[in-house]
Amino acid sequence: MFDTIIYGFTLAGTWQNLGFAFVGCLLGTLIGVLPGVGPLATVSMLLSMTIYLDPLSSLVMLAGIFYGAQYGGSTTAILCNLPGEASAVVTVLDGHQMARKGRAGAALAVAALGSLFAGICATLVIALFAPILSNFALSFNAPEYFALMLLGLLAAVVFSGAGLVKALAMAALGILLGTVGTDVETGAARFTFGMPELSEGIGIVALSMGLFGLSEIIMNVSSAESREVMNAKLGKLWPSREEARRAAPAAARGTVVGSLLGVLPGGGVVLSTFVAYMLEQKISRRPQEFGKGAVEGLAAPEAANNAAAQTSFIPLLTLGIPTTPTLALMLGAMIMQGIQPGPEVMATRPDLFWGLIASMLIGNVMLVIINLPLIGLWVQLLRVPYRILFPVILTICCIGAYSLEFSMVDLLALSAFAGGGVLLVAFGFPPVPLLLGFILGPLAEENLRRAMAISGGDASVFFTRPISAAIVLMIVALVLVVVMPTFKRNRAVFEEQ
């Protein structure tokens, strides 16, 4: 492990990759600070740029945006009582109360140092398990890949947080959109309607930028602004000895919680903050202080959300299954670069895997260096109204979509998906399963065909191979977990009648 991490540092430590790590961390912090512009929207906007970059450089920058947003969200939560990110909701409870007591500087330092500790520990967890998973990955073939993709799609539906039927409909729509274009096996045009621009399929940039970038802007513009930035002085930047003594073990426990829950599909990052906070409140000798400025109530969730943000890369890098919408876009960036996501990435592209892990260690240190000295700048940015920010973001989106193929079709697709994204949210349909269906659907189709070719059309290949059979059992278990409560409710109603 030590040798491979050193190898990763030689790749991530080049001036080019250090520059992209810095840009990603800076952008991540910025979008975390500004409520309404999340990492999902930002990554979708920058996706068009990644095709011109080296694969490692693009992933280093996108990863920096993702975990950098966890840092930036705490700044808004502490200073404005407004979480810049969903994972910073719990930070508001005690972080803002510390700020009101004149301890804003200490609160920001606790959040930054707790996140640094958690980020480094969680990244080392990834490195520890990587060799084991790498050996395991060599036994994967088309049947295992198809079963994995199916599990990923089902997990996206189950953990979407919306109604099962709506989520299933969105995943199916995403799979259908993914079939548009030229069939790789036969060369036949599918659902192109005679338009040569669709022969290569719908662009992931137009879809993701429209669904999550422009639609997010439209939704935020339509809602009223309410931001109150603290004008009081931040006070001493470093926590007192008593605050440090109480925060350190809380941050350690939050790191453990976040590292474990980060690998869960759906909202593992957000869930970890609530679990860490409740754990601290339960074991604390001063439970009455929680919600009134308890430093443990700030340190634990901040450590948990950053640890979870790091370990959420484990399913993406080892299995090719994204656990969050932002990581789904990073999976799309890998596909655009011609990289086949999945277990073989560790074996075939060790430079990509270990370079990204090393960049996370570097990026976490960068974030502390960026965040603490620039707090005054972030406070000033919080005062910039949305009506000035959003036209700039809109222009960047349009330029990014058009620059890929210099085609008006991409701009029309961008507009269509933006309108569709607004309608989906308005009617309660989750767009995330659609995105995952669009990305994982074609991969699942390709591996299903390969599996059938290998087995001569015998579907039992999915049950006779140990790994694919185990994944199929997991799929069945997940379906039963979802279906059984509904079955029990219907049975109880029937018996009452």
Side-chain angles (χ1 to χ4, degrees), residues 166-384:
K166 288 183 177 179
L168 195 60
M170 288 295 96
L173 178 59
I175 293 170
L176 288 174
L177 291 173
T179 61
V180 175
T182 305
D183 190 316
V184 179
E185 297 284 335
T186 63
R190 301 192 298 187
F191 306 111
T192 58
F193 303 101
M195 296 174 65
E197 293 86 357
L198 292 178
S199 60
E200 294 184 8
I202 297 169
I204 186 175
V205 172
L207 183 140
S208 60
M209 200 183 289
L211 276 181
F212 300 103
L214 290 187
S215 63
E216 185 77 13
I217 291 171
I218 295 167
M219 297 296 288
N220 282 311
V221 167
S222 63
S223 61
E225 287 186 56
S226 59
R227 280 186 281 175
E228 291 183 10
V229 183
M230 284 190 64
N231 293 313
K233 289 185 178 180
L234 296 177
K236 289 183 179 179
L237 192 59
W238 295 104
S240 65
R241 184 175 295 181
E242 174 64 16
E243 286 171 333
R245 187 186 65 79
R246 291 170 57 181
R253 287 187 290 267
T255 300
V256 174
V257 170
S259 298
L260 293 173
L261 297 182
V263 297
L264 295 178
V269 178
V270 178
L271 176 64
S272 66
T273 60
F274 286 95
V275 173
Y277 187 84
M278 289 188 292
L279 175 65
E280 289 304 313
Q281 196 172 24
K282 258 192 192 323
I283 65 174
S284 176
R285 296 177 182 177
R286 312 175 185 87
Q288 70 280 359
E289 291 184 16
F290 280 73
K292 299 176 183 177
V295 69
E296 300 98 323
L298 170 64
E302 275 300 302
N305 78 45
N306 211 59
Q310 309 287 330
T311 56
S312 62
F313 280 89
I314 291 176
L316 175 69
L317 295 174
T318 59
L319 301 175
I321 296 178
T323 56
T324 71
T326 308
L327 293 182
L329 290 182
M330 290 187 65
L331 184 70
M334 292 170 69
I335 294 170
M336 288 170 63
Q337 294 277 6
I339 299 166
Q340 179 71 24
E344 286 187 1
V345 168
M346 284 182 291
T348 59
R349 295 297 304 268
D351 57 327
L352 199 70
F353 184 84
W354 291 106
L356 183 59
I357 287 176
S359 77
M360 291 180 186
L361 293 168
I362 295 169
N364 276 281
V365 177
M366 278 185 178
L367 281 167
V368 174
I369 297 170
I370 290 170
N371 271 269
L372 294 181
L374 296 181
I375 288 169
L377 175 62
W378 303 139
V379 170
Q380 294 304 316
L381 280 172
L382 284 167
R383 296 190 171 96
V384 177

Side-chain angles (χ1 to χ4, degrees), residues 18 68 135 221 296 442 471:
L18 284 174
N135 293 328
V221 167
E296 300 98 323
I471 298 171

